[in-house]
Amino acid sequence: MINNDRLIRLRYALDLKNDEMVEIFELGGMTVTKEEVGEMLTKPNDSYSDDLEEAEETVDDETVERFLNGLIIYKRGKQEPKPGQPERPELSGDEWINNVLLKKLRIALKLTSEDMLEVFDQAGVHVTKGQLSALLRKKGHKHYKDCGDKFARSFLKGLTVRYRG
């Protein structure tokens, strides 16, 4: 799954308008226009195939993460940093983007582990607490597991059922 697809599915699941997307990007520290958002929400022609090598993504991981950071602020409000904390959250760098997606959506939407398991169930995927815990751990932890595209796609599908169903 390419990043364009992640943004498209997330926008649909949460029923966000282009104006809201622009505002969320700005809250995440990235200035974009409505036209640029429109381009981000367009799938490249090759992305309809399942071959990830063929599909060329126009949105990078940093852009998705900045959007997710903005979504947290949009949904929960700006949190003043505590003494010694950086002003802006650092980008996770080498962490798998699907894991970042799950973590940040959990924060933005105030989801508990039980809520997340329900979202997966609504998408028709059974995930255990242990599996979910492994997906939400920090990279480098001995029980960390990369979140595959199937899990991320299923979670976004479950969010669609939950928020639009």
Side-chain angles (χ1 to χ4, degrees):
M1 182 164 58
I2 62 172
N3 288 330
N4 297 59
D5 199 28
R6 286 181 184 91
L7 284 178
I8 291 166
R9 289 170 189 257
L10 188 56
R11 177 184 186 261
Y12 180 76
L14 300 178
D15 197 20
L16 299 170
K17 308 291 182 252
N18 282 357
D19 292 334
E20 293 171 304
M21 297 279 290
V22 169
E23 181 182 349
I24 290 169
F25 273 114
E26 286 179 10
L27 290 171
M30 187 173 182
T31 305
V32 295
T33 63
K34 282 174 77 171
E35 292 77 25
E36 290 171 323
V37 168
E39 289 173 21
M40 289 181 204
L41 298 174
T42 305
K43 284 187 177 188
N45 292 336
D46 294 339
S47 72
Y48 290 104
S49 71
D50 286 336
D51 186 6
L52 294 177
E53 300 302 318
E54 284 183 30
E56 183 180 322
E57 58 187 324
T58 56
V59 178
D60 61 2
D61 289 352
E62 181 182 339
T63 302
V64 173
E65 191 163 357
R66 288 194 183 279
F67 176 78
L68 293 170
N69 288 341
L71 184 64
I72 291 170
I73 296 169
Y74 183 75
K75 291 286 190 179
R76 298 189 67 159
K78 182 142 176 77
Q79 184 179 18
E80 294 303 316
K82 295 181 176 90
Q85 280 187 328
E87 181 71 27
R88 289 208 170 273
E90 293 181 25
L91 300 178
S92 45
D94 65 342
E95 194 165 355
W96 191 247
I97 190 66
N98 290 335
N99 293 72
V100 173
L101 178 83
L102 290 180
K103 289 177 191 178
K104 299 217 179 215
L105 285 176
R106 178 182 186 188
I107 294 167
L109 303 175
K110 301 177 188 170
L111 299 174
T112 63
S113 294
E114 294 298 323
D115 293 334
M116 291 185 78
L117 293 173
E118 284 178 24
V119 169
F120 276 113
D121 281 340
Q122 288 172 325
V125 176
H126 179 70
V127 178
T128 66
K129 279 188 176 184
Q131 288 173 317
L132 180 61
S133 175
L135 296 173
L136 297 174
R137 294 200 183 272
K138 187 173 186 172
K139 188 167 183 141
H141 188 278
K142 68 179 184 175
H143 296 296
Y144 170 84
K145 184 173 174 19
D146 283 339
C147 178
D149 285 344
K150 180 184 176 206
F151 278 123
R153 199 176 293 118
S154 297
F155 187 75
L156 292 172
K157 179 181 176 187
L159 283 179
T160 302
V161 171
R162 184 179 185 119
Y163 289 99
R164 292 186 71 116

